[in-house]
Amino acid sequence: MDIQVFIISWKGMHARAEAIEHAVMDAGFATHMVLSDPDPAFVHQSRGAATRLADTSYWAEKFHCCALACRAQRMLVIHADTECADWGALITRCLAVMQARPDIGVWAPRIENAHFNAGNAALKGWREDGLVPVANTDGIVFCLAAPEVARMREVDYSRNRLGWGIAWLFCSSAYASGRMAVIDGAIEVKHLPGRGYDSGEALQQALRFLVRELRPRERIQFELLSRQTGRIF
């Protein structure tokens, strides 16, 4: 399997997640829903594979679930609070780019309302066919190549429940291994603004997470990349 699509859903987002799932499956791609809900009676009507986690699960546990479940050469993750005019075209474009450029370890579309984007995270260097090398992509809609998926399976997420820092880690890992992270200007996604948790707690968890989990070569890349953006979060 060339690519497997994971859709992240939670309370209030299930209808959106199902619409994304249907669009992806109708385009001929395999899906796996990773969801949570506080209602024990809630039943998700998934057409594809699905894993339900406890409602206390946030981004870190859901991401780890995706990495462990991925059986394809590439793992594309889509959060349900996003919109795209054509999800099938996004996946086709992602797959074509990553097949043509094995030096790309992390791919993401252009995302409206993303913390990091091609404007504030771009690195100096080549720009080709709409692809912009970046320091970070955010963890909203993104695709990881097999080496990055394998690396992220090894990480301890238990003390970083909210999951900030995960994107920094997989981008730093890619660069440390001779690959890069890119934002693809040819595809646009809209992300709903806002979050349902405390940013201060997320920041504290993330900083401890990065100190603990970055390997020496990754740490060097993280220092260089975060200097480029001028901020960590």
Side-chain angles (χ1 to χ4, degrees), residues 2 19 27 32 37 70-71 93 96 100 106-107 114 123 134 147 158 174 183 193 197 210 213 217:
D2 289 329
H32 189 130
D37 194 278
C70 184
R71 297 294 180 266
R93 167 69 178 180
V106 182
W107 176 95
L123 302 176
V134 291
S158 62
I183 287 177
Y197 54 84
L210 289 169
E213 295 298 333
R217 291 173 62 184

Side-chain angles (χ1 to χ4, degrees), residues 134-202:
V134 291
N136 198 347
T137 65
D138 275 352
I140 300 170
V141 177
F142 62 93
C143 187
L144 302 185
E148 281 63 51
V149 175
R151 169 68 183 101
M152 298 307 288
R153 286 187 185 124
E154 301 170 349
V155 175
D156 178 5
Y157 301 92
S158 62
R159 288 175 285 177
N160 185 25
R161 188 171 62 100
L162 297 175
W164 282 22
I166 288 174
W168 272 121
L169 183 52
F170 61 61
C171 287
S172 298
S173 176
Y175 281 107
S177 300
R179 289 175 294 279
M180 67 180 74
V182 301
I183 287 177
D184 192 338
I187 296 288
E188 182 178 23
V189 168
K190 294 182 179 180
H191 176 235
L192 300 179
R195 59 177 64 97
Y197 54 84
D198 180 66
S199 297
E201 181 184 357

Side-chain angles (χ1 to χ4, degrees), residues 38-221:
D39 183 0
F42 170 76
V43 177
H44 175 64
Q45 303 298 324
S46 177
R47 288 172 53 189
T51 299
R52 180 169 177 170
L53 301 176
D55 190 53
T56 53
S57 302
Y58 278 85
W59 171 224
E61 188 173 354
K62 288 175 178 173
F63 172 78
H64 194 204
C65 179
C66 295
L68 292 175
C70 184
R71 297 294 180 266
Q73 296 178 40
R74 298 163 191 87
M75 181 179 79
L76 176 64
V77 177
I78 300 173
H79 276 77
D81 59 347
T82 57
E83 298 175 359
C84 181
D86 189 335
W87 288 110
L90 180 146
I91 301 165
T92 299
R93 167 69 178 180
C94 169
L95 190 54
V97 167
M98 296 190 79
Q99 286 175 333
R101 297 297 304 261
D103 57 336
I104 294 176
V106 182
W107 176 95
R110 184 174 74 256
I111 301 177
E112 182 181 309
N113 292 320
H115 190 66
F116 290 106
N117 53 58
N120 62 22
L123 302 176
K124 294 180 179 179
W126 64 266
R127 296 191 179 199
E128 177 183 300
D129 192 25
L131 302 176
V132 180
V134 291
N136 198 347
T137 65
D138 275 352
I140 300 170
V141 177
F142 62 93
C143 187
L144 302 185
E148 281 63 51
V149 175
R151 169 68 183 101
M152 298 307 288
R153 286 187 185 124
E154 301 170 349
V155 175
D156 178 5
Y157 301 92
S158 62
R159 288 175 285 177
N160 185 25
R161 188 171 62 100
L162 297 175
W164 282 22
I166 288 174
W168 272 121
L169 183 52
F170 61 61
C171 287
S172 298
S173 176
Y175 281 107
S177 300
R179 289 175 294 279
M180 67 180 74
V182 301
I183 287 177
D184 192 338
I187 296 288
E188 182 178 23
V189 168
K190 294 182 179 180
H191 176 235
L192 300 179
R195 59 177 64 97
Y197 54 84
D198 180 66
S199 297
E201 181 184 357
L203 176 60
Q204 291 181 5
Q205 291 180 11
L207 293 175
R208 291 193 295 264
F209 170 75
L210 289 169
V211 167
R212 191 171 62 245
E213 295 298 333
L214 285 165
R215 293 173 177 172
R217 291 173 62 184
E218 295 168 347
R219 186 179 301 275
I220 292 170
Q221 292 300 321

